[in-house]
């Protein structure tokens, strides 16, 4: 089956019922997307499917044919998306395990909302669990990234 990941078409030899998470990690070697719970409860496997955040552990290969998938490896060519810059500036990660899911979800939020409120942030991010408790820094980093995106727009 052919799938489009991070702007490239891949031929994947796996059954339609294979979870996308295993396709990404085992077939394509994209290990930035993490396995946490495998039952849709932790959010560490979050990727973008047509710009919407989805849980890769619950999404089946058969559901993603001809759809655009973006993983943490694909959100910017130089790893310098404003969200990534803000994450680095504010030193958000602790152990880092949940952070690709957090960043992907933050990118999705900011693609829909220019100036997210605390409530917007909580609503989007509450499903991505962080055992290290980095939530306050995540909130600040999302606001910083929103300012960076708005500055980029004004400078264009
Ligand atoms: S591994 Fe997919 S939600 Fe936890
Ligand atoms: S940084 Fe450790 S789980 Fe979130």
């Amino acid at each position: 089956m052919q799938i489009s990941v991070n702007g490239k078409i891949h031929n994947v030899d796996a059954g339609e019922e294979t979870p996308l998470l295993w396709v990404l990690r085992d077939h394509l070697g994209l290990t930035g997307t993490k396995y946490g719970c495998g039952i849709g409860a932790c959010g560490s496997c979050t990727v973008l499917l047509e710009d919407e955040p989805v849980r890769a552990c619950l999404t089946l290969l058969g559901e993603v044919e001809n759809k655009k998938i973006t993983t943490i490896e694909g959100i910017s060519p130089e790893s310098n998306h404003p969200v990534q810059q803000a994450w680095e500036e504010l030193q958000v990660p602790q152990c880092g395990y949940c952070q690709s899911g957090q960043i992907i979800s933050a990118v999705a939020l900011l693609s829909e909302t220019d100036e997210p409120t605390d409530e917007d942030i909580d609503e989007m991010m509450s499903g991505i669990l962080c055992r290290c408790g980095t939530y306050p820094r995540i909130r600040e980093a999302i606001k910083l990234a929103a300012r960076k995106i708005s500055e980029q727009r004004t400078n264009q």
Side-chain angles (χ1 to χ4, degrees), residues 21 34-46 54-58 127:
L21 180 56
K34 301 301 183 201
Y35 170 64
C37 64
I39 54 167
C42 74
S44 64
C45 66
T46 304
V54 297
R55 304 292 190 253
C57 66
L58 295 184

